[in-house]
Amino acid sequence: MAEDKGKRDSLQMNRKGCQINNGFVQNEDNLEQDPDPGSSQDNPQPSTAGIDGSREPNVQRIQPYAGMPKEVLFQFSGQARYRLPREILFWLTIASVLVLIGATVALTVISPKCLDWWQEGPMYQIYPRSFRDSDKDGNGDLKGECLERVQERARMRLVYCSLIPQNQIMPGLFLVIAFCPLDDKHIWFQLSRTRVGKYTDYYIWHDCTHEDGTTIPPNNWLSVYGNSSWHFDEVRNQCYFHQFKKEQPDLNFRNPDVQEEIKEIIQFWLAKGVDGFSFDAVKFLLEATHLRDEIQINKTQNPDTVTHYSELYHDFTTTQVGMHNIVQGFRQIMDQYSREPGRYRFMGTEAYAESIDRTMLYYGLPFIQEADFPFNNYLTMLDTLSGNSVYEVITSWMENMPEGKWPNWMIGGPDSSRLTSRLGNAYVNMMNMLLFTLPGTPITYYGEEIGMGDILASNLNESYDINTLLSKSPMQWDNSSNAGFSEANHTWLPISSDYHTVNVEVSITEHFIF
C-alpha cells in the first residue's frame, strides 16, 4: 500500500494544469501562474514533447536553461544569434592557426641557421710528410706523438691534410683529407699499360709517333709544368696523357668503371671515420675527346717554341662539360654518409687559377649542391700588399658568392709561396689577424702562423716540380736538431735555415697568435 501511495504522489507532483514534465523544468514562474480564463491560454499547448515524443517543443516560447535535452539544444543552436558567434569564433581560430604556422615558417626561413662543425672554427691544413716524423726515417707520418702535435696545433679541432695512412684516423679531431692524383707506380696504371681487362681504358691513351727517342704527340696540349702533356710508354707503345708531371698520368674519368672505383675509395675512407674530402684540381678531371690543338695566346709565335703552359688557351683540357656532374656525384656520397646525426661530411674543391665566376660554380646550383665551399686562394696570389688589393679580393668573393653559401679564406697553401716569402715578415701577424676576423672559415697552412718561409734549395732529389716543394719544408717545432721534426740523420726536404728563431716554441714564448 505504501508503494502504491508513493507512485500516486509522484504522478501528482509531475502534473500541473494537465502539463507533463519530462524530466526538466521550464520557466518555473510561468508554471506557477494560473492561465487567464478569458485569454488564449484557456487551452494551453504543452511546451515540451509528450511522453510518446510525438510533439517538439516550441522554442520561441522557451528560454535556454541548464540541463536542456539535446533535442531542445539543437533547436536553439540553429538560431542566428547563437550560430553567428559560433561561426565567427571558428573562423577566427582557423585564421589564428594559419597565421601561427606562417609565422613559424617565416621565422625558420629568415632566422640564422646553427653553424655546423666546419663553420664553427678554423681549419689547420697540414702536409703529413712534412709535419712530424715519429719513426725516424726522415719522412713525416701520423703516428704516436704526431697525433698529439696535431691536436696541440689544431686547437680548432679541424685538420685538413693532403694524405694520411690507412687506420690512422685521429681521435678527437675532425679530419678532412685531400684526394690527389695517382702516380705511375699504382697498380691500375701497371695493368692499363699491359691492357689487362677493364683497366685497359683507365687512363688516356693515344697513338703517337716515337722514333729515335723523339716523340711526336697527338696534339699541342701542354703540362702545367711545361712541355708536352703526352709521354710515350714503351710497354704499351702508346702515349698517355698527364696534366702535371709525367709520373702522374691522368685517369680517364669518362670511363664509368673509373668513376665507380673513385667512389669506392671515398666510401672506404668515410667508413673509416674521415669527416670530409677536398678534391684537388677538379677542373682537370676531363679533357676534350676530339684532341684538337689548343689556341695559342700569341698567334704569331712559332708553334714549335710553345712550351709554357701560359702560352695556350686551355679550352680543351680544363672545365669540360660533364665535370660538374662528376663533382655532384661525389657530393651525393657525402650526403649518404651525412645521414647519421651529428656526422655531416664536409666537401671542398680546389680550382686554383679559375676566374671568380667559374670558381663560384663549384658551390653548385640552387637545387643541386656541390662543394660546401671551393677553397679561396685569392689572398695567396697577392705578391704586393695594399688596402685596395685586399679589399678587392674580399669584396669580389662576397659579392659573387651565391646567396646562403659560406665563405672561406686562406693566406697560404702547399701549391703557393709562403706568406713570409711573398710579403715579408712584417705582415705575418697582420694577415693572420685578418684571416680570423673575416666572415667564414679561416684556413691556416701549417707554419704560416709562426712565419715560416720557403726553403732556398735547388737540388732536392725529388721527381716533382721544385717550385711546388719550396713551401713544403718540415715543420719547425723548436731549435733542436732538424727543428724537432725528426731524429733522423737526413730529412726528405731540408730544414729552413731560420729554424733557430722561427719555430713553435719561440712563437709560444713570444705570444704569437697561436
Side-chain angles (χ1 to χ4, degrees):
M1 293 295 293
E3 183 178 354
D4 293 339
K5 183 177 183 301
K7 290 182 179 180
R8 287 196 300 272
D9 292 342
S10 175
L11 182 61
Q12 290 175 359
M13 291 174 65
N14 286 324
R15 295 171 181 255
K16 197 79 173 181
C18 298
Q19 293 182 350
I20 300 174
N21 186 345
N22 287 327
F24 60 89
V25 180
Q26 303 175 15
N27 190 312
E28 293 182 356
D29 294 337
N30 292 338
L31 291 175
E32 295 297 332
Q33 294 178 358
D34 292 332
D36 186 355
S39 69
S40 60
Q41 298 181 3
D42 290 342
N43 298 310
Q45 298 296 323
S47 57
T48 62
I51 295 177
D52 58 359
S54 61
R55 291 191 176 185
E56 296 295 331
N58 186 352
V59 298
Q60 299 296 330
R61 297 174 54 196
I62 302 175
Q63 297 297 323
Y65 55 90
M68 289 186 298
K70 63 180 181 180
E71 293 84 359
V72 179
L73 182 61
F74 288 157
Q75 293 293 326
F76 282 109
S77 66
Q79 295 180 9
R81 58 178 175 172
Y82 300 113
R83 186 184 70 254
L84 290 178
R86 186 173 66 250
E87 292 180 353
I88 291 173
L89 289 174
F90 172 78
W91 290 113
L92 283 176
T93 302
I94 295 296
S96 300
V97 171
L98 293 176
V99 169
L100 288 174
I101 294 175
T104 302
V105 172
L107 289 174
T108 302
V109 171
I110 66 177
S111 296
K113 297 181 179 178
C114 295
L115 298 182
D116 216 325
W117 58 264
W118 53 275
Q119 300 169 311
E120 290 180 334
M123 290 187 180
Y124 191 72
Q125 182 180 7
I126 67 173
Y127 193 77
R129 193 178 180 187
S130 294
F131 195 67
R132 183 78 171 111
D133 173 25
S134 65
D135 56 8
K136 304 177 183 181
D137 65 352
N139 292 279
D141 49 60
L142 290 178
K143 298 179 181 178
E145 182 188 353
C146 181
L147 298 180
E148 299 176 5
R149 296 276 186 160
V150 169
Q151 291 175 317
E152 173 187 322
R153 303 308 295 157
R155 293 176 183 172
M156 64 289 292
R157 297 178 61 242
L158 199 163
V159 176
Y160 161 39
C161 63
S162 56
L163 178 67
I164 68 171
Q166 182 177 345
N167 298 324
Q168 291 183 18
I169 305 302
M170 291 169 283
L173 293 174
F174 291 108
L175 180 64
V176 177
I177 64 175
F179 201 99
C180 303
L182 304 176
D183 62 23
D184 58 357
K185 303 297 189 296
H186 196 277
I187 184 62
W188 292 353
F189 185 76
Q190 299 302 317
L191 294 174
S192 183
R193 68 195 308 211
T194 54
R195 303 176 187 265
V196 175
K198 66 176 184 178
Y199 299 100
T200 301
D201 296 324
Y202 264 39
Y203 295 84
I204 312 297
W205 296 95
H206 203 275
D207 293 332
C208 58
T209 303
H210 184 75
E211 297 179 356
D212 300 327
T214 302
T215 301
I216 301 177
N219 54 31
N220 72 341
W221 294 357
L222 297 177
S223 163
V224 171
Y225 299 133
N227 298 315
S228 176
S229 58
W230 296 95
H231 183 74
F232 181 76
D233 180 69
E234 295 181 352
V235 174
R236 179 154 169 159
N237 201 30
Q238 281 185 310
C239 283
Y240 64 83
F241 179 68
H242 57 92
Q243 295 267 24
F244 301 96
K245 302 292 289 184
K246 63 181 178 62
E247 293 84 5
Q248 295 175 300
D250 275 35
L251 285 168
N252 179 13
F253 271 92
R254 296 189 186 278
N255 186 335
D257 290 333
V258 171
Q259 294 190 33
E260 288 303 315
E261 293 270 18
I262 298 301
K263 290 178 180 179
E264 289 180 7
I265 294 174
I266 296 171
Q267 292 170 339
F268 169 84
W269 283 108
L270 291 175
K272 287 288 185 182
V274 167
D275 298 287
F277 272 93
S278 163
F279 294 95
D280 290 356
V282 287
K283 71 176 183 178
F284 298 104
L285 287 179
L286 296 177
E287 55 287 315
T289 57
H290 52 63
L291 301 182
R292 291 199 294 266
D293 284 351
E294 293 188 313
I295 300 174
Q296 296 178 197
I297 301 293
N298 181 2
K299 296 182 180 180
T300 63
Q301 183 178 357
N302 183 350
D304 294 335
T305 65
V306 176
T307 59
H308 295 287
Y309 191 74
S310 59
E311 294 175 340
L312 293 177
Y313 291 109
H314 302 286
D315 297 327
F316 302 147
T317 54
T318 62
T319 319
Q320 297 297 292
V321 174
M323 178 270 293
H324 282 282
N325 293 336
I326 296 175
V327 178
Q328 291 164 12
F330 297 158
R331 173 79 264 174
Q332 291 176 1
I333 299 176
M334 302 297 168
D335 291 341
Q336 291 173 5
Y337 281 82
S338 296
R339 294 171 183 169
E340 302 176 46
R343 287 305 306 272
Y344 182 81
R345 305 307 175 97
F346 168 85
M347 175 175 157
T349 56
E350 290 183 335
Y352 292 159
E354 287 273 40
S355 60
I356 189 66
D357 56 335
R358 284 193 172 188
T359 299
M360 293 300 152
L361 293 176
Y362 291 99
Y363 276 111
L365 302 174
F367 299 103
I368 304 177
Q369 185 180 358
E370 290 186 25
D372 290 296
F373 54 67
F375 290 98
N376 178 2
N377 71 316
Y378 289 96
L379 286 174
T380 69
M381 298 180 181
L382 297 178
D383 293 326
T384 58
L385 205 60
S386 68
N388 286 335
S389 61
V390 173
Y391 173 80
E392 288 174 0
V393 169
I394 296 172
T395 55
S396 175
W397 188 278
M398 297 303 293
E399 291 176 357
N400 287 279
M401 185 177 64
E403 184 178 358
K405 297 301 183 180
W406 189 257
N408 70 101
W409 313 92
M410 55 200 309
I411 56 176
D415 298 317
S416 62
S417 182
R418 285 191 176 274
L419 175 66
T420 300
S421 299
R422 295 195 324 268
L423 305 175
N425 291 320
Y427 292 104
V428 172
N429 285 346
M430 184 188 71
M431 291 302 292
N432 274 291
M433 181 184 68
L434 174 67
L435 190 69
F436 279 79
T437 55
L438 292 173
T441 299
I443 302 172
T444 297
Y445 182 54
Y446 82 98
E448 295 286 8
E449 74 275 23
I450 61 175
M452 283 178 56
D454 294 342
I455 55 175
L456 302 176
S458 56
N459 185 15
L460 300 178
N461 193 30
E462 288 287 330
S463 60
Y464 295 99
D465 182 58
I466 292 177
N467 294 324
T468 67
L469 297 176
L470 301 182
S471 61
K472 297 182 176 72
S473 60
M475 182 67 171
Q476 298 165 197
W477 294 100
D478 52 43
N479 60 5
S480 64
S481 176
N482 291 329
F485 163 72
S486 173
E487 297 180 16
N489 295 326
H490 177 76
T491 58
W492 83 282
L493 284 181
I495 307 295
S496 180
S497 59
D498 64 356
Y499 76 92
H500 292 285
T501 57
V502 179
N503 57 64
V504 173
E505 199 171 73
V506 170
S507 73
I508 295 174
T509 302
E510 298 184 0
H511 306 290
F512 275 29
I513 288 179
F514 282 89

